[in-house]
Amino acid sequence: MPAHPSAITLVPRPTKTVPRPGYFTLDDDTALNIGAGTEPAAELLRTLLAPATGLALRPSPSGQLKLAIDSGLGGSLGDEGYVLTIAPDAALLRAAHLTGLLRGIQTIRQLLPPQALSETPQGDIPWLLPCSEITDQPRHPWRGAMLDVARHFQPVSYLRRYVDVLALHKINVFHLHLTDDQGWRMPVAARPKLTEIGGHRAESQTGPAGSGTYDGVPHGGAYTRAELAGLVRYAAARGVTVMPEIEMPGHVRAALAAYPSLGNHPERTLDVWTRWGVCDSVLGVHDEVLDFCRTVLEEVMDVFPSPYIHLGGEECPTAEWTHSVAARERAVAEGLPNAEALHCWFLGQIGDFLVRRGRRPVGWAETGAELPLDFTVMTWRDPSHTLTAARRGHPVINAHHRATYLDYAQSDDPHEPPAQPGTVVDLRAVHAHDPVPEDADAEAAGRVLGTQSQLWTEFVTTPAHIEYLTYPRLCALADRGWSGATDWADFRSRLGEHTTRLDALGINRHP
């Protein structure tokens, strides 16, 4: 019998853990007592454990491992909290909601020997759960991870793997960045050229923005509607919401390459951008453009049931509007002081369209004060912007780039792979990031939903590179988002154990 491990080697750290003597053994005789409404959780447990363990975990009213919905826990543990009680002869996982059970199942996975996470049979290993009482709930309701598939396309098979590892860390939002200047990955039946033309570029810049060097290799790809709908279902079964991002009114060069009439110079033919940085080509503000955006978002909402729809909104140069007679006339007609004000007006038009359909628009904020008030705001440029947005009344996700941007290098070692130019974002910087500003009063603090990581992919072309940049830094973000502030030494100790789980999953992690 192995030495009894401490259950607090889990990542993220549970709210309260009381270790008990002994182990509960999962074996061929173990059955599941599946309470009413817990069937999806039971199916997930079987799906996740079967490849490595081969255990059937058949259903039985007298099963030793019981899953139960207990509505009485809702007041204290909310939608995602759970209680896991493990004794030598039985185990009980309870939650007020199915989502809480899904979180508890990831805890069960981490409590088992690391080999349980493997995708291949692991032979004659005793599958032991250390006896304990765990009561757990998240500190923040939003714990996200953004992956940019517009600049470098990734197959949907990898996106499913990406979701699997997010779920293991109790990350609950997968922010899928689907469109940008360099590529459009979301199919829209009424606008097929978006992927036929906008989904492909002639080559890619190889250095940072302005380098002027290119690889000469065409790059492209797009998802089918069925693939994206399947990804949404796959993620939902693991308690992860897929939030799509469709950039507007800037970062739209790929859309303009497909449909030039959407631009401020409809007579101009553009290519899908092969460079990095901020492109000065933006959408026009004429009625055809607003109709186009609504048509695209109707299809997006059909595929993605997420309550949140991200509209991008940042880094939108206004020079084309300033020099456009039509845009200036639109500004006058709408009673705006100048063409620059069309940015907020445009997002207000499209945001209102989403709100009227029961969705919540999300946008990147460069100051914290430039988005319409019905937007949920993602602040990224400066920590003070989170407080600015919260005091305006916005729900806020704190995505400060110096703590959450995983495309920055994670060390100053010269052997690190190419990364976004800028500051090093190391493991400790991610772990130290508190989404709630220090000087926030209770009202403003209550508007901070949480945090999320960002991985922009200008320099990231392969799944192995994605994982190298993501792990273990995402472990630190997950710990902070779920557990709140934890001691650095405690986190490092738990992470030492946790890396064996990442290795069992075959993750190409940073050492």
Side-chain angles (χ1 to χ4, degrees), residues 26 28 53 72 91 157 213-214 237 239 248 302 390 396 401:
L26 288 170
D28 290 337
T53 70
S157 57
T213 58
Y214 297 86
M248 60 184 75
D302 280 347
V396 189
H401 68 287

Side-chain angles (χ1 to χ4, degrees), residues 1-297:
M1 186 73 68
H4 196 289
S6 168
I8 59 169
T9 58
L10 300 172
V11 176
R13 180 177 180 168
T15 307
K16 181 181 179 182
T17 303
V18 180
R20 307 287 191 200
Y23 290 85
F24 175 78
T25 302
L26 288 170
D27 57 26
D28 290 337
D29 295 325
T30 303
L32 297 182
N33 183 339
I34 302 171
T38 72
E39 293 86 353
E43 180 60 27
L44 179 63
L45 183 63
R46 290 193 195 96
T47 298
L48 293 174
L49 295 187
T53 70
L55 297 176
L57 299 177
R58 68 190 186 284
S60 170
S62 59
Q64 309 94 318
L65 176 50
K66 182 174 182 179
L67 307 177
I69 298 288
D70 182 349
S71 59
L73 296 172
S76 58
L77 295 181
D79 290 352
E80 295 187 272
Y82 63 92
V83 178
L84 177 60
T85 305
I86 304 171
D89 57 351
L92 170 62
L93 175 61
R94 295 180 294 143
H97 299 272
L98 175 63
T99 305
L101 295 180
L102 301 180
R103 304 288 176 252
I105 281 168
Q106 300 297 342
T107 297
I108 290 173
R109 292 181 77 199
Q110 290 198 26
L111 287 170
L112 286 166
Q115 297 94 322
L117 279 73
S118 174
E119 296 180 356
T120 59
Q122 292 299 296
D124 190 20
I125 292 175
W127 302 113
L128 304 177
L129 288 172
C131 294
S132 53
E133 174 95 16
I134 297 175
T135 305
D136 201 9
Q137 64 185 127
R139 169 71 177 83
H140 297 288
W142 189 294
R143 307 171 310 281
M146 188 283 292
L147 181 62
D148 167 17
V149 294
R151 291 184 177 87
H152 279 103
F153 178 78
Q154 299 297 332
V156 75
S157 57
Y158 179 69
L159 300 188
R160 289 195 295 268
R161 172 177 167 86
Y162 189 83
V163 164
D164 277 328
V165 190
L166 297 186
L168 178 70
H169 293 89
K170 301 182 174 69
I171 296 292
N172 63 346
V173 178
F174 176 22
H175 175 175
L176 188 58
H177 184 83
L178 284 162
T179 73
D180 216 297
D181 294 311
Q182 299 84 2
W184 186 289
R185 313 299 176 203
M186 167 81 195
V188 179
R191 295 281 189 164
K193 291 180 182 178
L194 286 171
T195 51
E196 292 171 0
I197 294 174
H200 303 271
R201 64 175 180 265
E203 58 184 354
S204 305
Q205 194 165 23
T206 55
S211 69
T213 58
Y214 297 86
D215 62 10
V217 178
H219 180 81
Y223 303 105
T224 67
R225 180 186 173 108
E227 285 178 326
L228 291 174
L231 176 67
V232 167
R233 291 191 299 272
Y234 186 90
R238 287 149 180 79
V240 177
T241 298
V242 183
M243 177 183 67
E245 180 178 1
I246 305 295
E247 282 270 12
M248 60 184 75
H251 286 282
V252 291
R253 177 70 171 255
L256 297 179
Y259 294 100
S261 64
L262 300 173
N264 294 285
H265 300 281
E267 76 288 347
R268 183 174 59 184
T269 300
L270 297 170
D271 59 355
V272 177
W273 221 35
T274 58
R275 290 187 274 161
W276 314 133
V278 179
C279 182
D280 59 6
S281 301
V282 302
L283 290 174
V285 290
H286 44 294
D287 288 344
E288 180 193 353
V289 174
L290 298 177
D291 290 341
F292 164 81
C293 292
R294 296 181 188 115
T295 296
V296 168
L297 291 172

Side-chain angles (χ1 to χ4, degrees), residues 286-339:
H286 44 294
D287 288 344
E288 180 193 353
V289 174
L290 298 177
D291 290 341
F292 164 81
C293 292
R294 296 181 188 115
T295 296
V296 168
L297 291 172
E298 286 282 13
E299 185 129 356
V300 168
M301 288 186 286
D302 280 347
V303 174
F304 296 94
S306 165
Y308 296 91
I309 304 292
H310 207 302
L311 299 179
E314 89 291 12
E315 296 177 332
C316 178
T318 57
E320 285 193 347
W321 294 337
T322 301
H323 295 117
S324 165
V325 173
R328 294 198 304 270
E329 289 177 348
R330 187 90 203 208
V332 171
E334 299 296 336
L336 303 175
N338 50 46

